[in-house]
């Protein structure tokens, strides 16, 4: 075998180590590597309509994964107590902040489950107002902007009514066996979702400014 400087292997000709091209070098830049999915991953240039969403929980999973805010890793929070599974991929929108001090939650409808920790481009269809144990916990309902089956959907009214019923029912039931109360209201149209996303972007920006002032 040759070494890293291209010396010949036994009985063979020298092997040259390939030079790093510009594409590889740019991927090694500190500015282009997302170290923390909440803070370092860009929300995307077309937000609030189309945005990046980090998937924490795959469609069909009974495992409640969630972001560990300190490390940026995805941790196992719990196994769902009820005999239900997540109806679609579920995660959060980077560089957003809500009143509960978490990023904005998002359910992404698409054909296939996505591994926790990956991110997809999502298109907002509506806002599902939710109260979880007395606290506001709204969810964005979206479709994958790059899924050919769903990318043409633009508003919550484009989805079949039964699909919306399933989504609402899941969130109403998934904590019942933990004796935790969840109230889900009617899903609101796309413009309301845009406003909620923009508000969470602004809140995140205000938090950063306040943090910088205090340092």
């Amino acid at each position: 075998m040759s070494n890293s400087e291209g010396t010949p292997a036994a009985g063979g000709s020298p092997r040259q180590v390939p030079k790093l091209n510009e594409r590889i070098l740019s991927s090694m830049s500190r500015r282009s590597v997302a170290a923390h999915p909440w803070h370092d991953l860009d929300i995307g240039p077309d937000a609030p309509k189309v945005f990046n969403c980090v998937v924490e929980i795959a469609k069909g999973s009974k495992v409640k994964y969630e972001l560990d805010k300190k490390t940026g890793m995805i941790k196992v929070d719990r196994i769902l107590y009820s005999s239900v599974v997540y109806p679609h991929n579920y995660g959060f929108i980077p560089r957003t902040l809500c009143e509960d001090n978490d990023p904005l939650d998002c359910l992404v409808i698409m054909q296939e489950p996505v591994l926790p920790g990956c991110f997809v481009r999502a298109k907002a269809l509506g806002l599902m107002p939710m109260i979880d144990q007395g606290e506001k916990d709204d969810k964005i309902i979206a479709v994958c902007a790059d899924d050919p089956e769903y990318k043409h959907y633009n508003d919550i009214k484009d989805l079949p009514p039964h699909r919306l019923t399933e989504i609402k029912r899941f969130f109403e039931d998934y904590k019942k066996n933990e004796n935790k109360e969840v109230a889900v209201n009617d899903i609101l149209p796309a413009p309301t979702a845009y406003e909620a996303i923009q508000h969470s972007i602004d809140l995140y920006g205000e938090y950063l400014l306040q943090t910088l002032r205090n340092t």
Side-chain angles (χ1 to χ4, degrees):
M1 295 292 292
S2 62
N3 62 24
S4 60
E5 296 181 357
T7 55
S13 58
R15 294 180 181 178
Q16 298 297 322
V17 176
K19 294 181 179 179
L20 291 176
N21 62 31
E22 290 299 321
R23 187 174 179 182
I24 297 174
L25 287 172
S26 66
S27 72
M28 296 170 68
S29 164
R30 291 176 63 90
R31 290 176 298 175
S32 64
V33 175
H36 194 295
W38 184 8
H39 305 299
D40 294 326
L41 177 63
D42 188 63
I43 192 172
D46 299 317
K49 293 185 178 182
V50 179
F51 49 86
N52 289 325
C53 176
V54 179
V55 174
E56 296 168 291
I57 306 168
K59 171 184 176 182
S61 176
K62 195 175 178 178
V63 182
K64 174 65 169 69
Y65 300 95
E66 68 175 33
L67 175 74
D68 179 69
K69 289 186 281 189
K70 182 177 180 180
T71 64
M73 297 183 69
I74 302 294
K75 68 177 183 179
V76 175
D77 178 63
R78 65 184 186 279
I79 309 301
L80 296 185
Y81 281 52
S82 301
S83 56
V84 294
V85 297
Y86 276 79
H88 300 286
N89 296 305
Y90 178 84
F92 65 88
I93 305 175
R95 299 188 183 180
T96 61
L97 183 65
C98 297
E99 286 78 2
D100 61 359
N101 294 317
D102 286 335
L104 183 58
D105 295 325
C106 184
L107 190 78
V108 184
I109 299 170
M110 56 191 297
Q111 297 181 66
E112 297 293 331
V114 173
L115 292 174
C118 295
F119 70 92
V120 299
R121 283 197 324 130
K123 183 197 292 187
L125 299 187
L127 175 74
M128 186 174 69
M130 224 175 87
I131 303 296
D132 188 345
Q133 301 175 79
E135 292 187 354
K136 183 179 177 182
D137 193 19
D138 295 348
K139 317 289 186 191
I140 298 297
I141 307 299
V143 292
C144 178
D146 300 304
D147 188 323
E149 184 172 334
Y150 292 101
K151 66 180 183 180
H152 64 284
Y153 290 23
N154 295 304
D155 194 89
I156 204 68
K157 68 178 184 297
D158 297 333
L159 290 175
H162 183 68
R163 179 65 56 86
L164 302 181
T165 301
E166 284 183 329
I167 291 171
K168 288 181 62 180
R169 190 67 179 182
F170 168 77
F171 284 102
E172 287 170 343
D173 290 349
Y174 80 131
K175 289 187 176 181
K176 277 191 174 180
N177 285 350
E178 299 176 68
N179 296 316
K180 296 177 179 178
E181 292 187 8
V182 177
V184 182
N185 293 320
D186 290 338
I187 301 175
L188 303 173
T192 309
Y194 305 155
E195 291 173 7
I197 295 168
Q198 188 60 57
H199 175 70
S200 68
I201 294 170
D202 295 340
L203 202 61
Y204 181 86
E206 291 171 11
Y207 169 77
L208 285 184
L209 287 175
Q210 184 179 352
T211 302
L212 290 171
R213 290 193 192 105
N214 295 335
T215 56

